[in-house]
Amino acid sequence: MIEVIGEPGSSEYQAAILVRDALARAWRGIDTSPPEEEHVKIASSVKLSGQKVSDVDVVVAGLFRTRRYIVPRSNAKDMDGNSIVGTKVRVKSFIVAVEVKDHSSGAMRIEAGAVKVKYPDGWKSATDQNDAQRHSLVGHFRDTTGSNPWVYRCLTLLGIPELPRTRGIPQPPAGAVPSNFDALQFLMAAASVLGIRKSGGEHTISSGSEELMEKVLTDGLFQELRPSNLDRKRMDRIGSRPQLARELASLLGSNRVHLRGHGGTGKTILLLQAAYEAFVERGTRSLVLTYNTALAADIQRTIALMGIPSDGDAGGITVRTVMSFMYSWLAHLGFGKDGEIDLRNYEHDCGEANEYFANGAVGQQEVDAIKKAHPSEFGFDAILVDEAQDWPQPEADLLARLYGGNAIALADGFSQLVRGKATDWRSSVIGEPKDGERSLRDGLRMKASLAKFANALADEVGLQWKVTPSVEAPGGRIIVRIGRYSEMEALQRDVLASAIKAGNMPIDLLHCVPPSEVRASGDQRSSALAGAFRQNGWTAWDAVDEATRRTFPRSGDAFRIVQYESCRGLEGWITVLDGLDESWELARKGMAGGLSNGQPQIEAAEAAAWLWIMIPLTRPIDTVIITLRNPGSRLGQVIEGIARRLPDIVDFER
């Protein structure tokens, strides 16, 4: 069986069809054979999350349990350099990262076995780009399967009917095919990059064991991405091109943009709206940086659904986690030992890099050279910083040195500090215009009753915190129960039914759980709530596990589960805050760490914990469900008091 996944009409989909047809011609019946015998999946315009490269034009994966062979015709060697022309090569399995280029022969150079193509800003290596895609695909499957499959790579050059030849040998000799290719050419081009391996007495093309390849073929990468109701609303908001977003888009990359506001006021969405507008109007390539791996995956899902390129030469939007991105820069600046960066010295290394700049040991010439050599990884016109108030200062200073203060746009959630003192970003734009500064006060995510509840809680505990309830979104429910949500099956079913009735899907729900609900088994972590969902026959994106968190959920039927520290920036039509009092107590103890036991310090720790709890309280859109472990806890008492004052919007049941 051969399956093709993707939207028709693009060069990527055209290449996917060419691969399908080539394989079908090579082995009669392979396109209709049972998947238990032969199974090939071909996905076009693939989006990855949590990797250095986000876009892969085509991914081809196949597993053959029947014996399938190819016979190389020319210029074929094994890994030892021996010719295998005329030798039968068994094809057991394969994973291929395919990069598609439409360039004509006049816009293409083939040098030293590599292909370069011409763009308005110069020549770029398509081979290096394809190799980077291969590495990212390996990283993706490492996250999703727990193993390291062997991934091949191949350029598909749709603009030329055949490869040029030197002394009768096609150029490049490996890693590329022209538009008129057959299965032999495709598989040999991919496998010959590093040479054909020998296994069990015969030369073999294989990307891994049958067990591993079964996991690969069921990977979410090969699922059709279908937007939920909430996805569509988010996509519509990003693509709506409001006037404020247009104003900010005109400043992106050249003037500092700085958005300030409490949680739920739409900072991240407004930045994405501006980035999308700049991409559409000017071909701007923007990078979104966030500490929250789950949020990075969430934004990547939206970008994928909208079909916005991440690594395109015509602009787009890329999402990376902050430390992953800065690690890459530190390594290229010479602070990595054998490609590795010591986590314990991360801030120190950022500070030392800043000193190198200040002393003239590193300058703009070196930075420009790195960007030119690695355009997909570092070549951005604008940098969008999420939760900008919470960056370590040396890290923020280094980013400003690398891209300039004016190229950086900030979403600043004041009163949402987690790591301590607020970050100073102003020093990188001293004396510059402040045309891009905006303060956001309206509660855009939450329905009015949810905003009223959040305001009431903030007022009750003495916080200087307030959002303006939306007059355009009345209603909203607050449900409070005692116990563990994982044990409340009837409520779980009611919640799902309510969401579906409103036109939503499981993926539109968000569940936050405390550490007591998380179990570890080796390197993997799972939540009790995901286990309960699976017992009901439901699926879950259980992002309490780090590897899961790096990939976005591709099925609309998956319930999203995160720990509280991963909830910033996320939203759910219905949001479940399980064990919220436990989470508050942990936050209070964390804030009090290292302080003396005097009353002022205790009060400061409690105030900081209350500020932190406003982050999860501003994640819901329509309904928030709060479960308490102990109704007599400090947070439990506050919520019960609010429920007595606001019985029309708070359903508190002991």
Side-chain angles (χ1 to χ4, degrees), residues 30-53:
I30 192 177
D31 52 339
T32 57
S33 59
E36 297 79 16
E37 297 178 6
E38 302 163 326
H39 201 179
V40 178
K41 288 188 176 181
I42 308 170
S44 66
S45 302
V46 171
K47 291 282 187 181
L48 305 179
S49 179
Q51 307 299 327
K52 291 182 179 180
V53 173

Side-chain angles (χ1 to χ4, degrees), residues 260-296:
R260 303 178 75 243
H262 289 305
T265 52
K267 303 179 298 297
T268 303
I269 282 290
L270 182 53
L271 274 188
L272 291 173
Q273 287 174 329
Y276 179 73
E277 177 68 19
F279 160 62
V280 171
E281 289 298 313
R282 306 199 313 273
T284 300
R285 186 167 185 240
S286 299
L287 171 67
V288 179
L289 290 176
T290 175
Y291 270 103
N292 188 347
T293 308
L295 176 59

Side-chain angles (χ1 to χ4, degrees), residues 43 70 165 206 256 352 447 534 617 639 647:
I70 56 176
R165 291 176 177 266
S206 172
R256 168 63 57 82
E352 192 172 352
K447 287 190 174 181
R534 291 183 182 115
L617 280 176
I639 290 180

Side-chain angles (χ1 to χ4, degrees), residues 35-174:
E36 297 79 16
E37 297 178 6
E38 302 163 326
H39 201 179
V40 178
K41 288 188 176 181
I42 308 170
S44 66
S45 302
V46 171
K47 291 282 187 181
L48 305 179
S49 179
Q51 307 299 327
K52 291 182 179 180
V53 173
S54 303
D55 293 356
V56 183
D57 287 349
V58 181
V59 178
V60 185
L63 171 61
F64 297 160
R65 289 188 172 88
T66 55
R67 301 184 74 85
R68 294 294 190 182
Y69 291 90
I70 56 176
V71 180
R73 292 191 289 260
S74 64
N75 192 44
K77 296 181 179 181
D78 62 17
M79 295 188 73
D80 298 322
N82 301 314
S83 174
I84 55 173
V85 174
T87 302
K88 291 175 67 176
V89 176
R90 182 168 178 192
V91 183
K92 287 186 175 180
S93 63
F94 49 83
I95 306 169
V96 187
V98 180
E99 169 69 5
V100 181
K101 295 299 182 186
D102 292 307
H103 297 69
S104 65
S105 59
M108 186 184 306
R109 290 177 182 169
I110 300 175
E111 303 169 349
V115 177
K116 290 185 177 181
V117 291
K118 190 175 183 180
Y119 289 98
D121 57 344
W123 292 87
K124 296 183 181 180
S125 174
T127 299
D128 288 349
Q129 184 179 6
N130 193 204
D131 195 49
Q133 294 169 340
R134 185 185 76 83
H135 284 290
S136 289
L137 204 54
V138 171
H140 169 81
F141 286 126
R142 184 188 303 124
D143 287 343
T144 59
T145 69
S147 301
N148 289 301
W150 187 271
V151 176
Y152 301 99
R153 65 169 175 83
C154 186
L155 291 169
T156 301
L157 307 175
L158 298 182
I160 58 175
E162 61 181 31
L163 296 178
R165 291 176 177 266
T166 300
R167 298 186 183 93
I169 298 175
Q171 299 297 316

